[in-house]
Amino acid sequence: MPARTAARPGGRPRGRWARSGIVQAPERLRSLVRRSEGGLVALATLVGCVAGVAVSGMTWATQAMREVIYRIPAGMRLSAADAVAPTLLLIGPCLGGVLLGLLIVVVNYLRGPRKRPPIDPIEANALHGGRMSLRDSLYLALQNVISNGSGASVGLEAGYTQIASGLASRVGIAFEVRRGDLRTLVGCGAAGAIAAGFGAPLAGAFYAFELIIGTYSIGTLAPVVVAALCGNLVSRALIDTPPLVDLGDVQAVTTSHVTSMEILPSLALGLVCALLGILIMRGVTLIERLVLASGVPRAAAPVFGGLCVGALALIATPQVLSGGHGALHMHFAVEGQGHGTAALAGLFAAKAVASAISIGSGFRGGLFFASLFLGAVAGKLFAALAPELVPALAGFGLTPLAYAVIGMSALAVAIIGGPLTMTFLALEVTGSLPITGVVLAAVIASSLTVRKTFGYSFATWRFHLRGESIRSPHDVGWIRSLTVGRLMRRDPSTVAVDTPMPTFLRAHPLGSPSRVIVVDGRGRYAGIVNVPEVHAAAQEAAAGAQPVLADLLHHADAFLTPEMNVRDAAAAFDRTESEALAVVENRESRRVLGLLTESHTLKRYSEELDRQRRAMAGESD
């Protein structure tokens, strides 16, 4: 047995993985994966297949729930059903809230209330080097199945990516892959999940590049694309999943050859969708704050939220229920273009409110599919209203279906992010390069507007609300782990502030360490003295009164603390114009722990930056 898992005296296994119950791969396989790029691709293939199986299972489970709760025919999408009993429309989401509340109570009883939410793939790659809890991922996926299956207005994509990335992370940990490779595997899990869930391998791959890994590189191309293809193929083999939308003949999208002039209304629609996306994200936050202020217990909030969503479905339309896949199909059907402007506006408002209530009240799920549906409705509204407001737009060659495709992508990029992801999604949906060109213009306008006016996607906005500064999946965890406490020298010279000058000069002659930390009578940090400066001052005052250490102190109020990261330390050196600073326990006690120099800080920082650059470029260590 390898030494890492050999038993200790007393029967306890060695190694942190063995102690935590994580099953390891055989040593030869671990070595092969770490040494070979082909080994990583093989793991990505496994991850993609597992993602396809997980997505198929979740899809089947949610559809079965909807068929049982709402008594709809087998295979029918809930948001496209028009013969559901009014009583079921009202109580269906409420029943889901009851089930979700019971699950929360049971889990809290067994495990205790969580101190922090589960780590999602973006946070895992940004802060934890790709490490995710499989148990938390399974719990979140189950919550997502209950929420979507009961009709709450949320999509399954959050559960898809959570479970697939959690499984990928566990596989990577079992093979002890490097930090960069583990982050890539987490992206592979998300790529396989999105490709399987939406039937769009290109969109799945670029979802991983833009939203989970944070960058595209040659080293990540092969594993991510392979995982996306495998996820899509396995899902199609296991379950009969209709395409995202069915446009039939592409000529139904355009009335003529698309020219560069169609970019102008596309840009306008992109700007409109950016503003709508910001309003929706703000709306979710508002609902969450209202629920929190109401004092309703966390386990009971989904019940009331489900009742509100059911009431919306009863009063407005069942299209507000679940993710909206069936309703999206209806709106992309040629015969489904006859909705009036008022009906489209009412549907958009009802769906947006239902999604905000669902997520704000505690249902688990994402806004990816909801944003696609809302964007399609917004695009058709734009097609109806824009020519009346600007008559010149009536002469362009874009049909309401084309505007629906553009709006679908533009609103999704405003809320979720990933301009290339949404562009490739439009390409895979339509198969039309001309339409994809105007979609690209719209998503760029939408993405740029949101980034400059709001600054967050839906995921990073929620990180911000809980006090986290993550704005992307770029790996910043290494910065946070490279702390002052790890970098500092722990044996600095210290001296009492009332030490007589002759005593100090004898203890610290020229040639000894040039900086000495001074403490007061209670052992608290008082400042730093430079040994050469003290000797020079003593020689200049040889004929007169000797100086005291208190007169030669520097940086009495400038110091570092152990939890500060390397970037904060570098900023402190720059601000104080010092070459070295003392490290104290905290601002209150001011107990000296060590000394850190600017040169060592910058050296370690540059080494880590170079390592990250090599990892991003796919270079081996």
Side-chain angles (χ1 to χ4, degrees):
M1 181 178 292
R4 185 183 292 274
T5 57
R8 287 179 176 174
R12 293 186 63 188
R14 292 183 184 274
R16 60 184 183 277
W17 308 129
R19 289 197 303 271
S20 62
I22 295 177
V23 178
Q24 281 186 303
E27 185 175 359
R28 288 185 178 180
L29 288 179
R30 297 201 309 268
S31 177
L32 175 65
V33 169
R34 289 179 63 88
R35 292 198 314 262
S36 168
E37 185 176 350
L40 183 62
V41 174
L43 277 189
T45 302
L46 173 63
V47 166
C49 294
V50 170
V53 173
V55 167
S56 299
M58 290 181 63
T59 302
W60 177 85
T62 52
Q63 180 62 23
M65 279 190 65
R66 291 191 288 264
E67 292 172 5
V68 170
I69 294 175
Y70 293 95
R71 300 179 182 176
I72 57 178
M76 176 175 283
R77 296 285 183 171
L78 176 59
S79 57
D82 55 0
V84 180
T87 304
L88 296 179
L89 287 178
L90 182 63
I91 68 173
C94 187
L95 177 61
V98 172
L99 293 175
L100 191 60
L102 289 175
L103 178 64
I104 292 172
V105 171
V106 170
V107 171
N108 286 348
Y109 174 77
L110 294 177
R111 299 173 52 192
R114 291 192 58 86
K115 295 183 179 179
R116 59 169 299 160
I119 296 174
D120 77 348
I122 296 176
E123 184 179 3
N125 270 3
L127 297 181
H128 306 288
R131 296 182 179 274
M132 298 175 64
S133 167
L134 182 57
R135 182 173 60 179
D136 287 347
S137 297
L138 290 169
Y139 176 46
L140 190 147
L142 179 58
Q143 288 181 299
N144 199 178
V145 167
I146 293 174
S147 301
N148 183 275
S150 64
S153 188
V154 294
L156 279 171
E157 63 280 348
Y160 288 162
T161 56
Q162 184 75 31
I163 186 63
S165 295
L167 289 167
S169 179
R170 179 56 58 91
V171 169
I173 291 173
F175 280 85
E176 294 189 4
V177 299
R178 297 179 178 86
R179 180 186 180 97
D181 292 341
L182 185 58
R183 295 179 72 252
T184 299
L185 282 179
V186 169
C188 290
I194 294 299
F198 291 84
L202 281 176
F206 276 87
Y207 182 94
F209 291 136
E210 293 186 297
L211 301 175
I212 305 300
I213 301 175
T215 186
Y216 163 85
S217 69
I218 298 299
T220 58
L221 176 62
V224 169
V225 171
V226 167
L229 291 172
C230 290
N232 183 46
L233 291 174
V234 169
S235 177
R236 291 174 61 182
L238 293 177
I239 191 169
D240 183 17
T241 303
L244 179 64
V245 295
D246 186 7
L247 293 174
D249 187 358
V250 177
Q251 293 301 321
V253 181
T254 57
T255 58
S256 64
H257 178 67
V258 178
T259 66
S260 58
M261 292 303 296
E262 273 71 36
I263 292 179
L264 296 178
S266 300
L267 291 174
L269 180 54
L271 295 176
V272 171
C273 287
L275 299 178
L276 292 175
I278 294 172
L279 288 176
I280 291 171
M281 289 187 280
R282 290 283 190 184
V284 173
T285 303
L286 176 62
I287 297 296
E288 287 180 332
R289 289 176 176 172
L290 291 176
V291 171
L292 186 63
S294 68
V296 177
R298 176 170 173 256
V303 179
F304 294 100
L307 189 61
C308 294
V309 172
L312 276 172
L314 184 61
I315 296 172
T317 170
Q319 294 182 39
V320 305
L321 295 177
S322 197
H325 196 289
L328 185 63
H329 272 270
M330 292 169 53
H331 283 271
F332 272 102
V334 176
E335 63 271 18
Q337 297 183 46
H339 295 83
T341 302
L344 287 173
L347 174 60
F348 183 93
K351 179 64 177 178
V353 171
S355 296
I357 291 176
S358 297
I359 295 179
S361 63
F363 283 103
R364 284 289 189 174
L367 284 178
F368 193 163
F369 206 97
S371 65
L372 294 175
F373 175 44
L374 287 168
V377 175
K380 296 181 75 173
L381 265 173
F382 183 87
L385 294 176
E388 297 181 7
L389 300 176
V390 184
L393 293 178
F396 289 98
L398 296 177
T399 67
L401 283 183
Y403 282 116
V405 172
I406 297 168
M408 179 182 75
S409 303
L411 187 57
V413 82
I415 295 177
I416 305 301
L420 289 179
T421 302
M422 303 310 168
T423 302
F424 280 110
L425 184 62
L427 175 61
E428 291 177 295
V429 165
T430 64
S432 170
L433 285 175
I435 285 294
T436 304
V438 293
V439 165
L440 180 59
V443 299
I444 289 175
S446 178
S447 177
L448 183 62
T449 302
V450 171
R451 190 167 69 249
K452 295 301 181 183
T453 60
F454 189 63
Y456 301 91
S457 66
F458 182 64
T460 56
W461 171 240
R462 295 177 73 77
F463 294 144
H464 167 73
L465 292 177
R466 71 172 196 237
E468 187 56 75
S469 60
I470 305 172
R471 287 179 179 263
S472 75
H474 286 92
D475 191 3
V476 296
W478 66 271
I479 295 178
R480 299 191 181 191
S481 64
L482 198 62
T483 61
V484 168
R486 290 180 55 188
L487 298 177
M488 69 181 182
R489 195 180 73 198
R490 297 181 179 273
D491 55 348
S493 300
T494 60
V495 64
V497 70
D498 56 357
T499 300
M501 185 61 67
T503 303
F504 178 89
L505 295 176
R506 286 195 301 271
H508 301 279
L510 290 173
S512 62
S514 60
R515 301 177 187 88
V516 179
I517 298 176
V518 180
V519 296
D520 61 16
R522 293 184 295 171
R524 293 160 52 90
Y525 171 72
I528 295 177
V529 293
N530 294 323
V531 172
E533 182 180 336
V534 174
H535 279 268
Q539 290 178 0
E540 292 177 0
Q546 286 287 325
V548 294
L549 290 180
D551 296 332
L552 302 173
L553 294 178
H554 297 282
H555 313 299
D557 295 317
F559 45 80
L560 305 173
T561 54
E563 68 275 4
M564 294 174 67
N565 62 49
V566 63
R567 185 176 292 173
D568 296 332
F573 286 121
D574 186 60
R575 184 175 59 254
T576 60
E577 299 181 354
S578 172
E579 296 180 357
L581 287 173
V583 183
V584 302
E585 184 177 44
N586 53 57
R587 185 170 294 275
E588 289 72 29
S589 70
R590 294 172 71 106
R591 184 171 69 88
V592 176
L593 300 178
L595 181 74
L596 182 62
T597 64
E598 182 181 27
S599 60
H600 180 63
T601 302
L602 296 180
K603 176 177 179 292
R604 291 288 290 114
Y605 190 31
S606 63
E607 288 175 351
E608 288 296 326
L609 283 176
D610 184 60
R611 187 176 66 83
Q612 292 297 316
R613 180 197 61 78
R614 293 198 307 271
M616 185 178 299
E619 301 174 6
S620 58
D621 293 335

